[in-house]
Amino acid sequence: MAPSGSSPPSTLGRTERMVLAAVAAVLVVLMVWLRGGLHPEAPLERLARQSPEFSVALADGRPTLVEFYADWCEACRSMAPAMERIERQQRGRMDVVLLNVDNPRWQPELERYDVNGIPQLEFFDAAGAPVGRSIGARSGPELEALTTALVDGTPLPLLAGVGAVSSLPEAAGAEGAAPPAAALPTQAGPRSHG
């Protein structure tokens, strides 16, 4: 009989404890694997996670590439490895910012940059001024040509779906002024597929 205040003697031997520990370890690994914990993070998620804040990138004196994307966008996912490679190659010379169109936080930017489809790339010079836009998927060589021109401060290459941006006069009644927002036709949003 065990003295009062002490625990009863262990009924499991050393071998049984080792087997139980091994089974527990296997179960932990299996649970982590089933929850996706052992899968490497995809390039799109990695880029989005390490992306600097949009306002900081525009103010830091480096050119900036902004990609409007969505997790479900296959074209965005297919571009991600090339975007990640470019971000690594140009780190310190250019910022790469990813803005998810499904995040309501970026609604003002979606409207400001007239995002109607994804992926949409916006290019900004070192002073934070817009210099161009690209709509649709881009190949690795196209992305390299675009970002090289951006870093070098030269005009963006002429590619289908790439163009310069300009600002429209906003003063009401000014000659050539844009019509008030209420007079513009409603456009489908980037998530509407309409």
Side-chain angles (χ1 to χ4, degrees):
M1 177 172 220
S4 78
S6 68
S7 59
S10 173
T11 58
L12 294 177
R14 182 172 189 241
T15 304
E16 289 88 2
R17 283 191 302 249
M18 289 179 66
V19 168
L20 283 175
V23 168
V26 167
L27 288 174
V28 167
V29 168
L30 183 60
M31 284 178 46
V32 169
W33 179 74
L34 288 174
R35 298 184 86 188
L38 295 181
H39 298 291
E41 188 177 35
L44 187 62
E45 287 82 16
R46 209 172 15 257
L47 269 173
R49 185 177 39 79
Q50 68 191 28
S51 175
E53 281 293 319
F54 183 45
S55 59
V56 171
L58 289 182
D60 70 5
R62 291 190 290 257
T64 301
L65 164 61
V66 176
E67 179 183 353
F68 289 95
Y69 80 100
D71 295 326
W72 46 263
C73 170
E74 288 302 319
C76 302
R77 288 190 170 284
S78 69
M79 279 180 21
M83 290 285 288
E84 188 175 42
R85 187 173 49 257
I86 286 167
E87 190 279 331
R88 258 192 326 270
Q89 291 169 348
Q90 299 293 356
R91 190 172 292 149
R93 292 180 289 198
M94 178 185 81
D95 294 311
V96 176
V97 177
L98 273 71
L99 303 180
N100 191 326
V101 298
D102 291 327
N103 186 337
R105 173 183 181 195
W106 303 119
Q107 190 60 42
E109 286 75 13
L110 291 169
E111 292 171 10
R112 180 174 185 192
Y113 297 103
D114 194 28
V115 178
N116 287 313
I118 54 175
Q120 179 169 316
L121 306 175
E122 296 288 331
F123 302 95
F124 299 87
D125 65 16
V131 295
R133 168 178 295 159
S134 168
I135 299 175
R138 293 279 157 217
S139 68
E142 289 173 330
L143 287 169
E144 289 205 24
L146 289 162
T147 56
T148 298
L150 186 63
V151 169
D152 292 346
T154 59
L156 297 177
L158 299 175
L159 301 169
V162 174
V165 293
S166 62
S167 58
L168 296 173
E170 295 184 25
E175 190 170 319
L184 294 174
T186 305
Q187 294 182 338
R191 296 175 297 276
S192 70
H193 299 284

